[in-house]
Amino acid sequence: MAQDNFSKIISHAKEYGFIFQSSDIYDGLSAVYDYGQTGVELKNNIKQYWWDAMVKMQESIVGLDSAIFMHPKVWKASGHVDAFNDPLIDNKDSKKRYRADELIEEQLDKIQKKVDKEINKARKRFGDDFDEEKFVSTHPRVVKYLGKIEKLRSRFIEALKNEDLDELKQIILDEEIADPVSGSRNWTDVRQFNLMFDTKLGSVDGAKIYLRPETAQGIFVNYLNVQKTGRLNLPFGIAQIGKAFRNEIVARQFIFRMREFEQMEMQYFVQPGTEKEWFPYWRDKRMNWHKALGFDDALFRLHEHDKLAHYASAAYDIEFDFPFGFKELEGIHSRTNFDLGRHQDMSGKKIQYYDNERGESYVPYVVETSIGLDRTFLMVLSAAYTEEKLEKETRIVMKIPAPLAPYKVAVLPLVKKDGLPEIAGKIMDELKYDFNCYYEEKDSIGRRYRRQDAIGTPYCITVDHQSLDDNTVTIRERDSMKQERVPAEQIFDIVNQKVNMKTLLKQI
Ligand code: ATP
């Protein structure tokens, strides 16, 4: 997907009420966004798809809605006060701020792209006879590039592991990495920057508290409450959807990286040792959730972490091919008993599970699935945005999976008179209990179809003069643009078959 597609998607999202910059009339607030009239519907449907798949369909998982503010000790125990940092670096000439680790990752990508270019060139030249493995291990330029990547990557990982900020800067200097905006190589030192927002609780001398940077801790500190009152046996999970806040250093990629965003997280509590089975189980299950949406499978891939977070023993990302390349969409983490153990130590409360079978008590292990709701929204927008060349024009159609579409049906009287709006009104009254419906009587029918295509409405129902005689209507399908005349009583079944969330859930 090309970068120029990205700017088209961003303007389309604004033009059709999906996403607005926050505080737009005051020129916006950086990396904060609002969801408009169509956006909120799509967002709610994504939430419902996740909740149904993770809670409604799973006997062993229950929900939770914990508060954003939590006791400050929570963030001390979780390690966020001391370790939730990103290394930042400023360019002295452009005054732009970057994440030092991202500059180095981009450098690695750049070299990898050179390798890919050589491979593609050779593939074209040799055709069917091309032996990629042999080419990669013998072609002098490719061998040189790959050697460079390996050396740079291991130096980089070592520096991250040791939190060696001087070494990160030295890598940037040695690699002659320039500011992507100004081309300048005049860098400051690398500094650690804590990503948590803080505020004060209560009046004047209130204690410093944080806006949560992840929803997971709300689940951990409620583990005992939920396990006891729900009388739950291991393995079981707790899921929640909610806002999280991070003072991101660089936030220039629309809703991919925001300072206020939403997460959908599930912590699965298991017997120690069994996390080795549950980890691949949840990784694959989550990948199926994405693939069930029906977009091209090649848009998704798994990426294993080189550097593990302070709490993790294994971690994979599910990455999506965004218009700016493959990037993390969801994280699957094996979090050991780190969080519950730390809360047990810090609070002095015993957080243990008595295992009848094993006849012992222990702190459960955790496998976590953590996905950004806004990133999922951007994934759907990016994959759905389609420009289609027709005979006389280009139509823009959002091929949003029907169960997630903001509106499921648009009801359109052909003209605003002769009793057609009344019939259309009756159809609306019948459908609106089950589907989010859109009613529109202005403009030519062709224009109205285009507007519905642009917001991804799977079906348009047109009421015309024939409807007055025989109570039939025309139903038009978004992707094929096929139109069919059907009795009005059949509308519900036709639409329901396609837009029901069941169609997605059954494939996971
Ligand atoms: P990144 O490496 O992109 O900063 P992360 O590894 O810090 O992400 P996690 O802490 O694993 O992310 O959070 C889980 C999920 O929350 C991510 O996969 C992503 O979808 C989402 N997420 C994290 N930070 C942001 C953000 N600033 N804006 C939007 N979504 C986010």
Side-chain angles (χ1 to χ4, degrees):
M1 254 182 276
Q3 187 78 27
D4 65 332
N5 241 15
F6 191 35
S7 15
K8 286 187 194 163
I9 292 165
I10 296 173
S11 10
H12 188 86
K14 175 160 187 194
E15 192 179 341
Y16 288 94
F18 285 97
I19 292 166
F20 307 124
Q21 177 86 49
S22 154
S23 321
D24 214 359
I25 57 169
Y26 292 99
D27 298 330
L29 184 66
S30 144
V32 187
Y33 292 90
D34 298 338
Y35 286 81
Q37 69 280 8
T38 31
V40 65
E41 301 291 347
L42 172 56
K43 196 178 184 199
N44 283 341
N45 294 338
I46 295 173
K47 279 192 217 181
Q48 195 201 328
Y49 176 40
W50 186 86
W51 193 265
D52 284 358
M54 299 301 281
V55 183
K56 197 166 149 192
M57 297 288 116
Q58 303 289 332
E59 277 166 45
S60 66
I61 301 181
V62 295
L64 178 77
D65 184 11
S66 71
I68 287 170
F69 292 137
M70 300 173 78
H71 196 288
K73 279 190 182 166
V74 168
W75 305 110
K76 189 75 193 155
S78 69
H80 283 80
V81 172
D82 299 316
F84 196 54
N85 301 320
D86 276 342
L88 74 81
I89 188 164
D90 292 292
N91 186 277
K92 290 186 198 162
D93 297 327
S94 71
K95 309 276 180 257
K96 292 259 179 227
R97 178 160 287 179
Y98 296 93
R99 266 172 62 176
D101 55 334
E102 285 187 349
L103 287 177
I104 299 170
E105 267 163 20
E106 277 158 23
Q107 177 75 357
L108 282 163
D109 281 350
K110 236 192 224 167
I111 313 175
Q112 182 62 45
K113 280 208 179 100
K114 287 186 187 167
V115 173
D116 296 345
K117 208 169 144 195
E118 295 284 354
I119 294 174
N120 286 336
K121 235 169 47 190
R123 182 175 290 123
K124 266 195 203 134
R125 200 168 35 181
F126 295 116
D128 288 345
D129 295 335
F130 183 55
D131 179 346
E132 184 170 331
E133 214 172 297
K134 190 166 160 215
F135 178 79
V136 166
S137 59
T138 53
H139 188 273
R141 260 200 309 273
V142 171
V143 171
K144 194 178 94 195
Y145 291 144
L146 288 176
K148 240 177 139 178
I149 291 178
E150 202 178 309
K151 226 166 105 192
L152 175 57
R153 180 168 287 131
S154 57
R155 192 175 165 199
F156 175 46
I157 291 169
E158 198 57 24
L160 286 179
K161 262 192 204 143
N162 300 332
E163 292 188 23
D164 187 343
L165 303 182
D166 294 340
E167 172 68 353
L168 283 178
K169 174 161 184 192
Q170 200 52 50
I171 294 176
I172 290 173
L173 296 180
D174 292 350
E175 288 294 316
E176 300 183 342
I177 296 175
D179 176 351
V181 177
S182 67
S184 149
R185 297 198 180 95
N186 193 7
W187 296 108
T188 62
D189 286 342
V190 177
R191 282 165 294 153
Q192 286 290 31
F193 177 74
N194 193 290
L195 300 185
M196 282 198 293
F197 284 100
D198 59 47
T199 183
K200 292 237 156 44
L201 186 72
S203 58
V204 198
D205 298 322
K208 177 162 139 178
I209 57 165
Y210 299 99
L211 273 73
R212 67 179 177 199
E214 62 173 28
T215 56
Q217 297 305 324
I219 293 179
F220 291 127
V221 299
N222 275 295
Y223 165 80
L224 280 182
N225 286 338
V226 174
Q227 192 266 325
K228 292 231 156 77
T229 57
R231 301 187 307 130
L232 300 171
N233 292 321
L234 292 190
F236 74 90
I238 306 179
Q240 84 164 326
I241 300 177
K243 289 262 178 172
F245 303 82
R246 295 182 188 179
N247 201 0
E248 298 281 0
I249 299 171
V250 184
R252 301 188 189 113
Q253 280 165 325
F254 193 40
I255 56 168
F256 179 80
R257 192 174 298 288
M258 301 155 91
R259 297 202 165 98
E260 172 181 340
F261 58 101
E262 249 173 292
Q263 289 186 314
M264 307 190 283
E265 295 198 298
M266 191 280 293
Q267 314 291 325
Y268 207 65
F269 300 96
V270 304
Q271 284 183 336
T274 63
E275 74 279 4
K276 289 189 188 71
E277 292 139 45
W278 286 112
F279 182 73
Y281 174 85
W282 281 111
R283 183 192 61 203
D284 298 346
K285 192 102 179 145
R286 291 303 306 148
M287 189 54 125
N288 291 345
W289 184 88
H290 291 281
K291 291 193 172 165
L293 290 172
F295 297 125
D296 187 353
D297 279 1
L299 292 170
F300 299 91
R301 73 177 187 197
L302 283 173
H303 167 78
E304 192 175 4
H305 277 216
D306 293 325
K307 183 204 170 219
L308 295 173
H310 60 273
Y311 50 74
S313 70
Y316 269 89
D317 290 339
I318 294 177
E319 294 187 336
F320 175 75
D321 192 4
F322 287 100
F324 38 86
F326 271 101
K327 292 268 182 252
E328 171 177 348
L329 176 59
E330 170 158 12
I332 321 293
H333 309 125
S334 189
R335 286 181 85 127
T336 67
N337 58 0
F338 175 85
D339 302 86
L340 290 182
R342 294 277 300 184
H343 288 306
Q344 176 169 268
D345 293 346
M346 198 85 168
S347 67
K349 306 262 166 25
K350 213 167 155 195
I351 306 182
Q352 303 237 330
Y353 175 79
Y354 181 73
D355 189 327
N356 266 325
E357 272 171 37
R358 293 193 187 182
E360 56 173 346
S361 293
Y362 49 75
V363 180
Y365 270 49
V366 171
V367 173
E368 162 186 82
T369 72
S370 171
I371 179 170
L373 174 54
D374 314 88
R375 276 192 199 173
T376 311
F377 191 103
L378 184 58
M379 175 266 276
V380 173
L381 282 192
S382 313
Y385 182 87
T386 314
E387 289 178 6
E388 242 173 40
K389 282 232 170 329
L390 306 178
E391 246 171 58
K392 288 190 195 131
E393 55 172 329
T394 302
R395 82 164 175 150
I396 294 176
V397 50
M398 294 300 280
K399 296 192 171 177
I400 299 172
L404 302 187
Y407 295 95
K408 309 300 190 228
V409 201
V411 183
L412 317 168
L414 189 62
V415 289
K416 225 178 346 174
K417 53 183 186 185
D418 304 336
L420 302 190
E422 285 72 15
I423 299 185
K426 266 196 211 143
I427 294 175
M428 282 290 288
D429 282 343
E430 267 170 42
L431 296 181
K432 69 185 178 195
Y433 295 96
D434 295 288
F435 311 123
N436 201 23
C437 302
Y438 198 111
Y439 180 81
E440 199 175 28
E441 47 184 34
K442 260 193 251 130
D443 282 341
S444 74
I445 199 74
R447 280 199 159 167
R448 280 182 269 170
Y449 284 159
R450 287 294 168 273
R451 274 204 292 274
Q452 294 306 318
D453 288 345
I455 58 172
T457 309
Y459 289 108
C460 289
I461 308 290
T462 306
V463 176
D464 59 14
H465 290 93
Q466 194 184 326
S467 314
L468 291 169
D469 299 333
D470 61 8
N471 204 30
T472 61
V473 294
T474 307
I475 185 160
R476 171 192 183 266
E477 202 266 331
R478 178 192 69 196
D479 297 349
S480 63
M481 294 189 288
K482 271 206 187 109
Q483 299 186 23
E484 205 186 337
R485 192 134 204 125
V486 299
E489 314 85 72
Q490 284 180 16
I491 301 172
F492 175 85
D493 284 339
I494 296 173
V495 175
N496 190 46
Q497 213 180 25
K498 188 140 179 197
V499 310
N500 200 309
M501 200 63 87
K502 235 196 236 177
T503 58
L504 296 183
L505 295 169
K506 281 195 164 166
Q507 294 174 60
I508 300 170

